[in-house]
Amino acid sequence: MARRGPPLLRLLRHVRHHSRAVRVATAYSVLNKLADLAPPVLIGMAVDTVVARETSMLARLGVVDAKVQLTVLAVLTVVVWATESVFEYLYARAWRTLAQTVQHELRLDAWAHAQRLDLTWHAERSRGEAMSVLNDDVNQLERFLDGGANDLIQVTTTALTVGSVFFILSPGVAAWSMAPIPFILVGSFWFQSRIAPLYARVRADVGRMNGILDNTLAGQPTVRSYTGEAREIARLQAASDRYRRSNTDAIRVSAAFVPIVRMFILVAFTATLVDGGHRTLSGEMAVGTYSLLVFLTQRLLWPLTKLGQTFDLYQRAMASTQRILDLLDVKVRLVDGPDTLERAEGTVSFEGITFAYPGRAPVLHDLHLTVPAGQTVAVVGATGAGKSTLVRLLNRFHDPGQGQVTLDGHALPSLKLADLRRNIAVVDQQTFLFPGSVLENIAYGRPGATRDAVVQAAKAAEAHDFIAALPAGYDTRIGEDGRNLSGGQRQRLSLARAVLKDAPILVLDEATSAVDNETEAAIQRSLAQVSRGRTTLVIAHRLSTVRHADEIVVLDAGRIVERGRHDALLENHGAYSRLWAVQTGTPIRP
């Protein structure tokens, strides 16, 4: 994927609708810094007042009495400090609000975009890596906007303002004071070029480490049953060590910035102090002016030491921004079609389908299959035959390389994705439940469903009895992915969810492969009722679940090798007959 310019410019383009908020926050930062630079001016005027008295600057402005001059300076000091405090509050609030808003929008934009990307993109990276972009990287950008942007603006304001004052009051002294700034800026850009790839590596290592954490936490039962705790600790230690080394390399470069800047500042400050002092002793410069220049030199140069910290924060943020915007730039390949479809009749056709996952051999070869509306068609075959791929193509998680899938004569790419998927209810082998209540999980496919409708769906799925026995019934919290429930209970909730969705097409993808015989019998009874009047596509490994299908299709290596009803296929003594014999223990007839 091609880069689209520096990350800062890409970010500014992305948040250009906040340009007014950026301008307002910038104005507050500038005004705060101008007020912050006023006290040295007042100090210089105070020194000028007690030294020159009736010939001081304020005297030339019409305030002759020295005591009155001090009173005026006191009033000005209160005004300046109050002004600085007001604008400090305003810029802090403006930048932090902007940071929170941009963080919120980027996280939602990235999350929404990730959900539009096809499943191949998700399969190519771990959940931990994706979480690192969607959470850690967004937070890293927020930290920079919260304080780093203001620091850069105020340093720039200081340099321009103080530099202008210096050249007005004493160009010679100004030359000493401003001399280190070009070297500091050049050094900053050099450090930036050195540290940018280091922080890019840091962010990548964070993603890998998060991937290990996410995977290991999800697989705790397996880890413990195989006593793999020590191996997982060692695996995380290796990833954490890699992350630590990446950070150490970045720190080694960034930590050198401030000491080098301080040396430039020391030379400039000392030269200003000595040269300005000689000019004052020789009468070329007023004492008050000299005091002002010394204080302003400190105000100009010392904040430059923060540039190292600010640039460090900036580079971390830009490395994160690059990853966020790279995600947003990934092209969505499965886009909505122009046609709408309210409720389908339910005829599904796979017409000359050839399909391969990226980098792999074709899974399906020139496959032709039609599931008539209202009928039940089962697809069986050995593992890897391509059965579940049909479900993915029907849901349009992928588009076939050749051929097309149609619904009621509509090619799937011509339909709006939401309309297509609203017409399909899937009960998958690997059930997924959300960390909410039983009721919320069943109602997921039909938000706003009444409690009575949820209960009726549960009864149809033969899940009501076990739900009623739970501590809080339908309001019981079931834990992440339903881990507080058995496999059969989770499967029944998944079936209830599909029943409540009331879609015209029901897809069962190995829905009974991981349950016991009693649960399978219960699910079979439910399916006999639920599938009535619906187009039903059954992907099955257990042949006992498909005996009563209107048609059984046998897949082998991505091709249809047999099709027909159960009894007729047994009489053919072909692939289906052999599968049935293996599963039932029936002798295979020659």
Side-chain angles (χ1 to χ4, degrees):
M1 181 176 56
R3 300 294 185 189
R4 298 186 178 180
L8 180 59
L9 295 181
R10 295 174 66 192
L11 176 64
L12 291 176
R13 287 197 298 267
H14 190 79
V15 299
R16 57 182 175 272
H17 57 289
H18 290 302
S19 58
R20 183 180 181 277
V22 173
R23 290 195 299 271
V24 169
T26 299
Y28 290 154
S29 294
V30 171
L31 291 172
N32 168 261
K33 179 49 63 177
L34 292 177
D36 179 59
L37 293 173
V41 177
L42 297 177
I43 292 173
M45 294 174 68
V47 172
D48 188 49
T49 293
V50 298
V51 173
R53 301 193 180 193
E54 287 77 9
T55 60
S56 67
M57 181 186 301
L58 283 177
R60 293 195 296 273
L61 295 175
V63 184
V64 179
D65 186 88
K67 293 182 179 180
V68 176
Q69 291 180 35
L70 292 176
T71 301
V72 170
L73 289 174
V75 172
L76 288 175
T77 299
V78 173
V79 171
V80 165
W81 280 66
T83 301
E84 180 186 0
S85 298
V86 168
F87 283 116
E88 183 169 2
Y89 166 77
L90 291 175
Y91 87 65
R93 179 177 175 179
W95 282 115
R96 289 175 183 176
T97 299
L98 179 63
Q100 292 298 320
T101 301
V102 171
Q103 177 193 45
H104 170 73
E105 292 179 352
L106 273 179
R107 180 180 289 117
L108 290 183
D109 288 347
W111 177 230
H113 189 74
Q115 292 191 100
R116 290 194 296 270
L117 296 175
D118 62 273
L119 295 184
T120 301
W121 182 89
H122 290 275
E124 290 173 348
R125 53 199 36 81
S126 68
R127 286 186 302 178
E129 183 181 353
M131 284 296 297
S132 176
V133 175
L134 295 168
N135 191 42
D136 294 348
D137 287 329
V138 174
N139 291 340
Q140 191 70 54
L141 176 60
E142 182 266 340
R143 284 190 283 271
F144 169 71
L145 290 176
D146 195 31
N150 172 73
D151 290 342
L152 288 176
I153 291 169
Q154 292 205 334
V155 167
T156 302
T157 301
T158 300
L160 294 175
T161 303
V162 173
S164 300
V165 172
F166 269 42
F167 279 106
I168 291 172
L169 296 179
S170 178
V173 176
W176 285 112
S177 299
M178 305 295 289
I181 292 181
F183 295 98
I184 293 173
L185 292 178
V186 170
S188 298
F189 288 121
W190 182 81
F191 270 94
Q192 182 176 329
S193 66
R194 286 289 306 277
I195 208 169
L198 298 179
Y199 278 128
R201 197 174 75 191
V202 168
R203 300 313 306 163
D205 288 343
V206 167
R208 280 188 284 268
M209 186 167 61
N210 285 347
I212 291 174
L213 289 170
D214 178 83
N215 184 70
T216 304
L217 285 173
Q220 277 297 295
T222 302
V223 171
R224 298 187 185 200
S225 65
Y226 284 89
T227 62
E229 294 92 338
R231 293 194 298 276
E232 293 305 318
I233 292 173
R235 197 154 66 102
L236 178 63
Q237 180 180 11
S240 184
D241 279 342
R242 182 171 180 172
Y243 170 64
R244 179 173 57 85
R245 288 194 299 271
S246 298
N247 249 322
T248 300
D249 292 340
I251 291 169
R252 187 181 298 112
V253 175
S254 65
F257 184 84
V258 172
I260 294 174
V261 170
R262 289 174 69 92
M263 292 301 100
F264 282 114
I265 290 173
L266 175 62
V267 172
F269 184 76
T270 304
T272 301
L273 191 70
V274 174
D275 184 48
H278 284 301
R279 292 173 187 268
T280 303
L281 291 173
S282 65
E284 296 179 34
M285 184 185 298
V287 174
T289 301
Y290 175 60
S291 302
L292 171 61
L293 292 179
V294 170
F295 278 109
L296 284 180
T297 300
Q298 186 268 342
R299 287 297 184 94
L300 169 66
L301 298 178
W302 286 114
L304 294 177
T305 59
K306 290 187 65 177
L307 276 180
Q309 177 183 349
T310 303
F311 274 123
D312 185 78
L313 191 61
Y314 170 80
Q315 284 303 337
R316 288 179 181 267
M318 289 305 101
S320 294
T321 298
Q322 187 78 58
R323 281 158 52 89
I324 297 168
L325 297 180
D326 282 351
L327 166 59
L328 290 171
D329 284 343
V330 176
K331 186 177 180 180
V332 177
R333 290 183 285 188
L334 300 178
V335 297
D336 271 338
D339 299 338
T340 59
L341 183 66
E342 291 301 322
R343 187 171 180 86
E345 293 180 8
T347 298
V348 175
S349 292
F350 297 87
E351 303 172 359
I353 300 297
T354 296
F355 175 78
Y357 293 102
R360 294 164 57 183
V363 180
L364 300 173
H365 304 269
D366 192 28
L367 183 138
H368 294 264
L369 172 64
T370 296
V371 184
Q375 292 195 17
T376 297
V377 172
V379 180
V380 301
T383 300
K387 304 186 299 295
S388 293
T389 299
L390 294 176
V391 178
R392 288 172 167 258
L393 293 174
L394 176 57
N395 276 281
R396 206 180 166 218
F397 295 153
H398 311 279
D399 281 336
Q402 296 177 21
Q404 65 176 1
V405 184
T406 65
L407 174 57
D408 293 344
H410 299 277
L412 298 193
S414 71
L415 297 174
K416 294 187 181 301
L417 284 168
D419 286 352
L420 167 66
R421 292 167 184 168
R422 187 169 52 246
N423 280 281
I424 303 171
V426 178
V427 182
D428 195 68
Q429 174 185 1
Q430 297 178 336
T431 59
F432 184 85
L433 299 176
F434 300 89
S437 68
V438 169
L439 187 143
E440 290 168 343
N441 271 276
I442 295 176
Y444 187 79
R446 187 175 152 194
T450 65
R451 192 179 188 90
D452 286 343
V454 171
V455 172
Q456 290 304 315
K459 288 180 177 179
E462 298 200 17
H464 175 73
D465 291 343
F466 91 77
I467 295 174
L470 294 174
Y474 283 84
D475 297 315
T476 302
R477 313 293 291 187
I478 59 175
E480 186 176 356
D481 199 17
R483 291 177 185 171
N484 297 335
L485 303 176
S486 70
Q489 290 172 333
R490 291 198 300 269
Q491 195 64 276
R492 293 190 204 189
L493 290 187
S494 180
L495 179 58
R497 179 194 294 164
V499 171
L500 184 64
K501 187 176 181 180
D502 191 28
I505 300 171
L506 177 63
V507 178
L508 307 169
D509 188 3
E510 301 281 11
T512 62
S513 65
V515 298
D516 55 47
N517 292 333
E518 181 181 352
T519 302
E520 180 186 5
I523 292 177
Q524 287 299 327
R525 291 192 299 270
S526 301
L527 292 178
Q529 174 186 348
V530 171
S531 62
R532 193 173 299 123
R534 287 186 172 86
T535 302
T536 306
L537 178 63
V538 182
I539 307 298
H541 178 71
R542 288 185 180 180
L543 302 187
S544 58
T545 64
V546 301
R547 293 181 61 181
H548 304 293
D550 296 307
E551 184 180 33
I552 299 172
V553 175
V554 183
L555 276 186
D556 183 25
R559 291 181 171 86
I560 296 177
V561 295
E562 274 189 308
R563 60 198 312 164
R565 296 183 67 89
H566 173 75
D567 293 336
L569 289 174
L570 287 182
E571 292 177 359
N572 286 343
H573 305 299
Y576 183 83
S577 177
R578 289 192 294 274
L579 288 172
W580 179 262
V582 169
Q583 291 190 16
T584 61
T586 305
I588 300 175
R589 292 176 58 183

